[in-house]
Amino acid sequence: MRHVIALDVGGTGMKAALVAANGELLHQARRATGRERGPDAVVEGILDFAAELSAHGAEHFGEPASAAGVAVPGIVDADRGIASYAANLGWRDVPLRDLLAQRLGIPVALGHDVRTGGLAEGRIGAGQGTDRFLFIPLGTGIAGAIGIGGRVEAGAHGFAGEIGHIVVRPGGSPCPCGQRGCLERYASAAAVSEAWATACGDPDADAADCAKAVASGDPNAVRVWQDAVNALADGLVTALTLLDPRTLIIGGGLAEAGETLFTPLREAVRKRVTFQKLPTIVPAALGDSAGCLGAGLLAWDLLATTDRTEVTP
C-alpha cells in the first residue's frame, strides 16, 4: 500500500504516522525528542525515528514510504528545507530536509509546525471547505496560520502569522521577542496560568484550573479570564482587519475550555468590529494530531508535484 511518513516534532516529544493516500493513519508512534542530550542528539533521533517508520512500512505494507513530511517548531525556511532556529531544541540552520532525504532515499517536505497544523485544520478539520481562514493555537505562546485557497501563506521570509507578537497593550509586559505588551503575554495558556497562579496564591495552578474556577463563578478567575479574552479579541480584530478571514479557528490548550472561552470571545470580537465582516469563530477539530496530519499532507502534496514533474515531457 502506498503511504507516506508524517512526523511532527515538538519541544519535548515527536508524533509520527504512516499515512495512506486517502488520509487513513496506517500506523502511529510517539517518541521523546531527547533534547536534554543536545541539539545534535535531537537531529539524530529524528533521523533514526524516520528510518524506523520507513522500515515498519516496508515490513507491514509491502513497500517503504514514498515520501516524508516533517513539521518542526521555531523559524523554518521551508523552501530551502532548513530548520533555521528553535529555542526549545537548541538548533540553528539544520538542513533537516536533506539529512532526511539522504537517510530515507525519498523526497522530503519540511514545514513550520503551526502552519502545518493549520494546513490540516483547513483541509480536513474545522476549516474544511473554507476559502480563507486563520488558525490560532493558544499554547505556551501564540502563533497563527493564514489559510488561502487550500494552502497556508508563509510570507516573504517565513514569518507570516506571528499574531502572538501583535502589541495589544503598549508599554505592557516585556516579551522575549524584545517588544512590550505582545498578545501572547496576555492571552496564551502560559500567560493565563501565570496570572491565575498569582491571583489564587497557588504556584501550581494553571489555565485549566482557571477555566474550572470561571465555570464555578469564582470572581477572581472571571477577572483573570476576561482580561485574557479582551486581549485576545483585540489581537483578533487587528488580524481580521488585515486578513478578512471567513473563519477563525482557535486551538491549543485554552480552546479545551470550550464555551467557557468561545462564548465570551465571540461576544468580545463582535463588540469590537465596526466595518469589518464578523468571521465565524470555531474550535479546532484535530487536537494535537493536527501537526502530524498536516505533515502527511505536505508529503502527499510533494509527491503530487514530483509525479507531475516526472511525467512532463
Side-chain angles (χ1 to χ4, degrees):
M1 179 181 292
R2 199 179 194 205
H3 61 277
V4 299
I5 294 170
L7 185 57
D8 179 20
V9 179
T12 58
M14 298 183 282
K15 298 183 286 290
L18 299 179
V19 187
N22 63 0
E24 180 185 357
L25 299 180
L26 304 173
H27 170 69
Q28 297 182 71
R30 292 180 180 244
R31 177 174 295 183
T33 59
R35 65 177 181 174
E36 68 280 358
R37 299 194 303 273
D40 290 342
V42 172
V43 173
E44 194 58 37
I46 293 170
L47 298 178
D48 289 345
F49 194 19
E52 290 175 18
L53 291 161
S54 180
H56 182 94
E59 179 181 353
H60 291 86
F61 305 112
E63 59 180 300
S66 299
V70 186
V72 297
I75 300 171
V76 181
D77 185 338
D79 290 339
R80 297 170 59 216
I82 294 174
S84 302
Y85 175 72
N88 288 338
L89 297 174
W91 64 29
R92 286 182 180 273
D93 298 324
V94 178
L96 194 56
R97 182 182 66 193
D98 289 348
L99 291 172
L100 279 164
Q102 290 167 11
R103 176 68 69 92
L104 301 174
I106 56 177
V108 176
L110 183 70
H112 181 270
D113 56 353
V114 173
R115 287 195 288 271
T116 302
L119 179 68
E121 283 289 352
R123 286 199 196 169
I124 60 177
Q128 188 171 6
T130 299
D131 57 346
R132 284 175 169 77
F133 67 88
L134 182 60
F135 168 59
I136 302 173
L138 307 174
T140 303
I142 299 177
I146 303 166
I148 304 172
R151 64 179 182 84
V152 173
E153 173 59 46
H157 306 96
F159 297 155
E162 290 292 345
I163 185 176
H165 297 290
I166 288 176
V167 174
V168 294
R169 300 291 179 265
S173 298
C175 179
C177 79
Q179 299 185 119
R180 302 184 71 93
C182 287
L183 175 61
E184 70 176 39
R185 297 297 301 134
Y186 297 90
S188 64
V192 174
S193 294
E194 181 181 341
W196 177 233
T198 300
C200 73
D202 179 0
D204 296 324
D206 61 14
D209 298 322
C210 185
K212 292 175 184 175
V214 170
S216 67
D218 184 306
N220 280 333
V222 170
R223 174 183 55 78
V224 168
W225 194 259
Q226 193 61 50
D227 285 347
V229 167
N230 288 339
L232 181 56
D234 288 340
L236 291 178
V237 170
T238 297
L240 68 89
T241 302
L242 290 170
L243 300 172
D244 189 26
R246 201 173 305 278
T247 304
L248 288 175
I249 305 170
I250 310 296
L254 282 192
E256 294 176 6
E259 287 306 313
T260 300
L261 173 67
F262 284 93
T263 296
L265 179 60
R266 291 184 183 111
E267 179 62 14
V269 172
R270 185 192 65 77
K271 286 181 176 178
R272 284 164 171 76
V273 298
T274 53
F275 67 89
Q276 306 93 334
K277 292 293 185 181
L278 188 65
T280 302
I281 302 176
V282 299
L286 302 177
D288 70 353
S289 64
C292 198
L293 291 167
L297 291 173
L298 289 179
W300 283 114
D301 285 356
L302 180 61
L303 273 179
T305 302
T306 303
D307 291 346
R308 284 197 298 269
T309 302
E310 288 176 349
V311 300
T312 300

